[in-house]
Amino acid sequence: MKVKEVADLVHISVRTLHHYDEIGLLKPDTITQSGYRNYSQKNLDDLQQILFFRALDVPLKKIIEIMQDPTYDRKKTLQLHRHNLLQRQKQITQMIEKIDRTLLHDEGEIMMTNEEKFKGFSFTNVNLYEKEAKDKWGNQTVDEVNKRIKGSEEELTTRMNQIYADLATIRHTSPASEEAQVQIEKWFYLLNEMGNYSLETFAGLGEMYVADERFTKNINQFGDGLATFMRDAMNFYAKNHN
């Protein structure tokens, strides 16, 4: 399948597929002499796995580590996806029930103790993929991999600072200009290497750059007014890529 056909099938942008190719996450099996990407059935199966990972908020860097590991097993990974989604389903169901009970409590129909109000909340971010890896290969092997990932994080920080610097040089131009939008697109895809940012979330993050003085102070170190410029550029980008 051609890249446009895959994008239409999966409901993601062609630019996203190009980005996955550029970072080595999903390379098409063949590229024609004219430079057109051709995706095989295996490519599509791998893309499905990637989207499962993304649905579970696994960063692109981590997905690359998992899927390029020599011991990567498609069936076991699908089983792990299923387990993780069931866990998330259970947590969501519990939160909905707690909200319903809290509403009844606020209306005076039932009584909830403080212990009941907060029972079940957990802010411990357990990486189930890392836990499974440690169970399979041992702590030492996984810790060594994490050291390599830390090196990647330092490289990401360097790239982030470079984008800040590049945006700072054009912050007095229009946020909707082609030059600004090219740079802000780099920011969008870099953020998605580290997390899972929809266009809506991306625009919301831009608003925080101005609303939260901590963001504003850090970003404006690269140039006065950069936070506002990035917010406007991010908002324009999100609206024009739906």
Side-chain angles (χ1 to χ4, degrees):
M1 296 180 72
K2 299 292 191 296
V3 64
K4 182 65 166 61
E5 294 173 323
V6 175
D8 291 342
L9 173 68
V10 182
H11 305 296
I12 59 177
S13 69
V14 169
R15 181 67 189 89
T16 296
L17 290 170
H18 286 175
H19 182 65
Y20 287 175
D21 183 4
E22 290 163 5
I23 65 174
L25 177 59
L26 182 71
K27 287 192 167 294
D29 270 359
T30 59
I31 298 180
T32 67
Q33 290 182 344
S34 303
Y36 292 104
R37 296 168 169 86
N38 285 327
Y39 290 83
S40 66
Q41 184 59 51
K42 182 183 183 304
N43 288 146
L44 293 178
D45 291 342
D46 286 343
L47 179 56
Q48 185 197 43
Q49 285 280 32
I50 291 166
L51 296 182
F52 277 133
F53 280 120
R54 299 300 283 149
L56 289 161
D57 301 324
V58 180
L60 294 180
K61 284 283 184 181
K62 193 67 178 178
I63 300 173
I64 293 172
E65 288 281 344
I66 294 170
M67 295 188 67
Q68 291 186 357
D69 191 288
T71 59
Y72 167 74
D73 185 298
R74 172 178 163 79
K75 182 178 179 180
K76 288 182 179 179
T77 304
L78 284 170
Q79 290 170 339
L80 187 59
H81 288 321
R82 185 178 188 279
H83 171 75
N84 290 348
L85 286 168
L86 286 172
Q87 289 294 108
R88 178 170 290 188
Q89 182 185 51
K90 180 180 177 181
Q91 292 170 353
I92 291 172
T93 300
Q94 289 174 342
M95 288 299 103
I96 292 172
E97 290 175 352
K98 190 174 295 293
I99 289 170
D100 289 342
R101 287 182 58 79
T102 301
L103 287 170
L104 291 173
H105 170 81
D106 290 349
E107 292 168 2
E109 296 186 27
I110 65 170
M111 288 295 296
M112 286 182 75
T113 65
N114 286 332
E115 288 76 13
E116 288 174 324
K117 290 178 183 178
F118 296 99
K119 184 179 180 181
F121 283 108
S122 175
F123 297 97
T124 304
N125 185 17
V126 179
N127 188 325
L128 295 176
Y129 294 98
E130 183 167 312
K131 180 180 183 299
E132 190 263 352
K134 286 187 174 181
D135 291 342
K136 185 174 180 180
W137 298 300
N139 290 347
Q140 183 176 352
T141 301
V142 176
D143 288 342
E144 288 173 357
V145 171
N146 284 337
K147 286 181 182 177
R148 294 200 298 273
I149 293 173
K150 185 177 180 181
S152 298
E153 289 173 349
E154 292 173 355
E155 183 258 338
L156 282 172
T157 300
T158 300
R159 288 167 60 194
M160 288 175 68
N161 289 339
Q162 185 60 57
I163 294 174
Y164 278 135
D166 291 342
L167 284 165
T169 64
I170 59 172
R171 68 187 188 279
H172 299 303
T173 65
S174 169
S177 69
E178 182 179 356
E179 188 177 16
Q181 288 300 297
V182 166
Q183 291 300 326
I184 215 66
E185 183 174 66
K186 291 180 182 178
W187 185 241
F188 176 72
Y189 282 105
L190 181 60
L191 289 175
N192 272 289
E193 288 184 41
M194 299 181 287
N196 192 8
Y197 290 83
S198 65
L199 289 168
E200 182 181 5
T201 304
F202 185 61
L205 182 63
E207 295 294 338
M208 286 183 61
Y209 289 172
V210 175
D212 190 318
E213 62 180 13
R214 294 169 299 178
F215 277 108
T216 306
K217 183 178 179 180
N218 287 331
I219 294 171
N220 283 352
Q221 289 178 0
F222 292 86
D224 291 338
L226 179 58
T228 300
F229 177 78
M230 289 186 68
R231 177 202 62 188
D232 294 344
M234 292 162 76
N235 186 52
F236 185 86
Y237 182 86
K239 287 181 178 178
N240 285 274
H241 285 76
N242 279 326

